[in-house]
Amino acid sequence: MKHTLAALGWALCFATLPHAALAQDPGKMLGGLLQNILKPNAAGNNSAPAAAANNTDLVGLLSQSMEQIDEPKEIEMGRQLAAVLLGAKPLHRDVALQRYVNRLGRWISLQSDRPNLPWTFAVLDDTGYNAFAAPGGYVFVTKGLVDSVADESELAGIVAHEIHHVVAKHHLAAMRKSAQTGLLTRAIASQLGNNAQGALSAQLLALGREVYSKGLDQSDEFDADRSGVALAARAGFDPYGLVAVLQQLRTAKPDNPVFTLALSTHPATQVRLDQLEAAMGQRLDALSGKPSPSVAQRMAPAGNR
Ligand SMILES: [Zn+2]
């Protein structure tokens, strides 16, 4: 950790990325995002063409060891969960915003330990304040969250936190834990009769729903905070971004509906801040003070291209 923080340097700032690595056709952006999520083989990268075909025993796999869930299956599970999520909350229609968040997220994911996943980042059309990740490289933030961050480093901190959940397979592990209790899957299967494909998808969905409504283990959240700070820093962002977000969340009233879900599925914000401080301490102090552009400022030049 010390090494990664010490080794940063602002030269790798987001703005200096080679343009080719970021190029997206804005007109096709929303359609492309949807395609990535809704069509199994459109994700490109290293998702194996056979990933979706072998759809029938994803839930069965969850009762096995983590090692037996290979990357294509992990990606396929995440894609199905992402599709469900998108069914509930559509993508925001601002193509420039989608492009910006994708670019930001992909750049950060390239600094992670799993740069080759088919990373997909998207903004959901939702005024609430939330961020989600699904196995295999899917990360969603709500429009409400994007609107509420003070600057780019805060958004980067949140996205990096979610990226680490994917890198460390936190949701996959949590779903596996739920699946192994067996109770949930049997209950769902009996409700759905013998439609195997439908029943299995519904089981996956039920497992996902349970994990997303209950939230992850606290230790996974602390891990994502610590690693998210380091990852955002490695990508050239002010590592205080996530800290600033947590400070904002701490002062949010628990009954403010905008923050309800984010607060209920994560450990107490003060505890998260204490944990981060203990982990990062003075190493963070040495890095503070770099002003970050706001999201609006960052998007302005991109919109003129
Ligand atoms: Zn989290």
Side-chain angles (χ1 to χ4, degrees):
M1 201 61 81
K2 185 169 191 172
H3 173 73
T4 53
L5 279 169
L8 18 126
W10 307 115
L12 284 179
C13 177
F14 180 53
T16 63
L17 276 173
H19 190 247
L22 306 171
Q24 294 278 355
D25 178 345
K28 291 185 178 160
M29 186 70 196
L30 278 181
L33 268 177
L34 276 173
Q35 236 183 8
N36 271 1
I37 295 165
L38 300 177
K39 293 190 182 164
N41 296 335
N45 282 8
N46 59 347
S47 93
N54 193 5
N55 184 19
T56 45
D57 204 18
L58 292 177
V59 174
L61 267 178
L62 283 171
S63 56
Q64 298 174 21
S65 72
M66 288 289 274
E67 290 71 35
Q68 283 170 285
I69 306 174
D70 63 15
E71 197 163 285
K73 298 212 175 61
E74 178 190 357
I75 292 166
E76 176 55 19
M77 279 188 224
R79 193 193 61 77
Q80 290 194 16
L81 291 170
V84 169
L85 210 62
L86 273 182
K89 305 272 182 200
L91 291 174
H92 195 271
R93 303 200 75 79
D94 184 341
V95 170
L97 180 65
Q98 298 286 359
R99 183 177 57 178
Y100 163 76
V101 170
N102 238 281
R103 210 163 50 169
L104 178 91
R106 286 186 188 191
W107 170 243
I108 299 171
S109 70
L110 285 176
Q111 324 302 319
S112 79
D113 292 340
R114 303 182 71 189
N116 295 322
L117 286 175
W119 290 98
T120 304
F121 299 84
V123 181
L124 301 178
D125 190 6
D126 179 351
T127 54
Y129 181 101
N130 224 328
F132 313 84
Y138 298 93
V139 174
F140 299 99
V141 294
T142 57
K143 178 66 163 51
L145 184 148
V146 175
D147 288 344
S148 75
V149 295
D151 62 31
E152 188 174 56
S153 74
E154 294 190 9
L155 184 58
I158 294 165
V159 168
H161 171 107
E162 296 301 327
I163 286 174
H164 186 73
H165 280 319
V166 174
V167 167
K169 304 183 183 177
H170 288 158
H171 290 96
L172 200 62
M175 285 167 61
R176 196 175 145 255
K177 213 159 121 188
S178 286
Q180 284 177 335
T181 68
L183 295 170
L184 184 68
T185 47
R186 273 202 297 279
I188 299 288
S190 67
Q191 277 170 27
L192 291 166
N194 292 326
N195 178 350
Q197 181 91 5
L200 284 166
S201 288
Q203 287 179 55
L204 183 68
L205 203 146
L207 286 170
R209 197 168 278 157
E210 188 187 64
V211 166
Y212 285 91
S213 60
K214 228 175 49 186
L216 297 164
D217 288 347
Q218 292 215 342
S219 58
D220 288 350
E221 294 300 347
F222 298 142
D223 179 28
D225 283 342
R226 278 193 306 273
S227 302
V229 165
L231 184 56
R234 207 180 303 151
F237 297 97
D238 186 338
Y240 266 109
L242 187 60
V243 178
V245 168
L246 292 177
Q247 284 167 344
Q248 191 196 347
L249 275 177
R250 182 181 52 180
T251 56
K253 295 250 189 318
D255 56 347
N256 180 343
V258 170
F259 293 105
T260 306
L261 192 52
L263 291 173
S264 68
T265 58
H266 282 74
T269 316
Q270 184 59 54
V271 182
R272 292 175 71 184
L273 280 167
D274 292 345
Q275 291 275 332
L276 254 185
E277 197 166 293
M280 301 294 175
Q282 299 185 337
R283 274 172 273 149
L284 269 181
D285 288 344
L287 294 163
S288 66
K290 178 178 180 274
S292 284
S294 70
V295 170
Q297 284 168 338
R298 187 62 97 185
M299 283 180 60
N304 294 336
R305 274 208 297 269

